[in-house]
Amino acid sequence: MTTTVSVAGGDFRPYEVVVGRGLLAGLGARVAPLARGRTVVITDETVAGLHGKAALASLKAAGVPARLLTVPPGEGSKSFAELERVIDRMLAFQLDRTDVIVALGGGVVGDLAGLAAALFMRGIDFVQVPTTLLAQVDSSVGGKTAIDTPRGKNLVGAFHQPRLVVADIDVLATLPERQLRSGWAEVLKHGLICDAAFFDWLADTSVSGGAAGAAGDPAALERAVVRSVEIKSAIVGEDEKEAGRRALLNLGHTFGHAIEAELGFDETKLTHGEAVALGCALAFRFSAAGGLCPPDEAERVGTVIAAAGLPTRLDQAGAFQSAALVGRMTGDKKAEGGRLTLILARRIGEAFTAKDVDAAALTAFLDRELSGS
Ligand code: GLY
């Protein structure tokens, strides 16, 4: 079964996110109506080896002239140097504004190719074909594109919505288990933000429950991706530029980002998804500590995250100082005018933006977390 979710609202041109199994083979037929000229498929070396041939064959069979442009795998490709090289190749291929970029890969490829598409000749169309769970449920939808600088991640970017997103569940079968579980953190996050019934299903370990998705069950993954995309699309449709409600999608991210930064963004120690999972557990416990959320809800969040093989305690990630973490959190680019803004929760499925969070209370909370009390 194929599900189509519309992303519509605000100032951008509406587009569809198509979720289903075996979609890569039909990619060309979906891209052909958008491609007036040629197509360049931007991908990384790993994904090129796994899915590059299938994507090119499908585009060519649909009459869309296509070639591959490959970047090295990993966050290092989200750089000015790689962006310049990609745009230079696009110019050398003599692309023009009638052409379409296809971003085939995970979040790094999507962010880099999306930014190249936003900048090339003041903007050309691009199609997202996310090949990781994290990219399918989060980064491919919503039009955030970016590269990193030595001063921080995602600091240079543009909002540039794709014309189409094609999320093929079958490509997740080749994902390393740790990456799949990392993407699952963003799935759990969507339930925690605004859909308690979805979270209940994700926690359900029975045959018809969603918990099997974290271990790669395709039927559970498909339903989880569809619901995540529905939730994200609705939020982006209301608030494309993150003036309000879109900030809720950062649940777990301010804690998570501080932890990742302290670890030098070393994905071998902690992946982004693991940091988000740990960040969600901390955000719920901090909410409970402040009397905002019932403690048993925060405890359940931790139990469900742990059951998915994801971290819930700081000592699982490394050794930290509370002051260093709070320093990172107040320096977070989501902080407004030096005040600490955090996404907290009233209960599962009811996240909210808390402004003016007391840094001293946060430090005391993290000290308790770090001492295990
Ligand atoms: N990943 C958060 C957002 O797209 O807004």
Side-chain angles (χ1 to χ4, degrees), residues 31 33 137 198-200 226 260 282 284:
V31 172
V137 300
F198 179 46
F199 188 80
D200 286 347
V226 168
E260 283 180 286
L282 289 169
F284 268 80

Side-chain angles (χ1 to χ4, degrees), residues 3-235:
T3 308
T4 301
V5 180
S6 293
V7 191
D11 291 336
F12 63 88
R13 180 180 190 151
Y15 58 96
E16 290 182 339
V17 183
V18 188
V19 183
R21 301 192 59 185
L23 298 185
L24 207 52
L27 177 66
R30 293 185 193 276
V31 172
L34 307 175
R36 285 165 288 165
R38 286 161 303 168
T39 295
V40 168
V41 178
I42 301 181
T43 189
D44 71 26
E45 284 147 16
T46 312
V47 179
L50 292 167
H51 309 299
K53 264 196 191 138
L56 281 187
S58 171
L59 289 160
K60 285 180 183 160
V64 184
R67 60 197 301 173
L68 276 190
L69 199 172
T70 307
V71 303
E75 189 74 24
S77 282
K78 284 178 59 173
S79 65
F80 273 114
E82 203 53 38
L83 178 68
E84 183 178 2
R85 194 185 70 84
V86 164
I87 290 181
D88 180 65
R89 297 317 300 150
M90 288 160 66
L91 290 167
F93 295 161
Q94 298 185 316
L95 294 195
D96 62 40
R97 292 179 71 184
T98 65
D99 297 323
V100 178
I101 298 296
V102 173
L104 173 72
V108 168
V109 164
D111 279 7
L112 174 68
L115 184 55
L119 296 173
F120 187 80
M121 299 193 177
R122 300 198 183 88
I124 62 170
D125 287 343
F126 84 116
V127 173
Q128 289 269 24
V129 186
T131 59
T132 64
L133 181 58
L134 191 138
Q136 291 192 353
V137 300
D138 186 23
S139 57
S140 68
V141 179
K144 279 188 181 175
T145 72
I147 55 169
D148 308 330
T149 88
R151 293 184 189 277
K153 287 179 78 164
N154 295 329
L155 293 180
V156 175
F159 285 99
H160 187 55
Q161 300 289 343
R163 287 293 308 277
L164 172 72
V165 182
V166 179
D168 184 348
I169 300 299
D170 285 346
V171 305
L172 303 179
T174 54
L175 266 192
E177 191 194 322
R178 190 171 177 197
Q179 268 207 47
L180 189 79
R181 290 186 190 279
S182 298
W184 196 251
E186 301 277 2
V187 173
L188 293 169
K189 179 195 81 174
H190 288 122
L192 292 173
I193 290 171
C194 61
D195 190 342
F198 179 46
F199 188 80
D200 286 347
W201 178 75
L202 294 170
D204 184 351
T205 52
S206 74
V207 225
S208 56
D217 177 74
L221 278 170
E222 185 170 352
R223 195 167 148 190
V225 173
V226 168
R227 187 63 195 130
S228 289
V229 168
E230 284 171 351
I231 290 170
K232 178 148 190 191
S233 301
I235 293 176

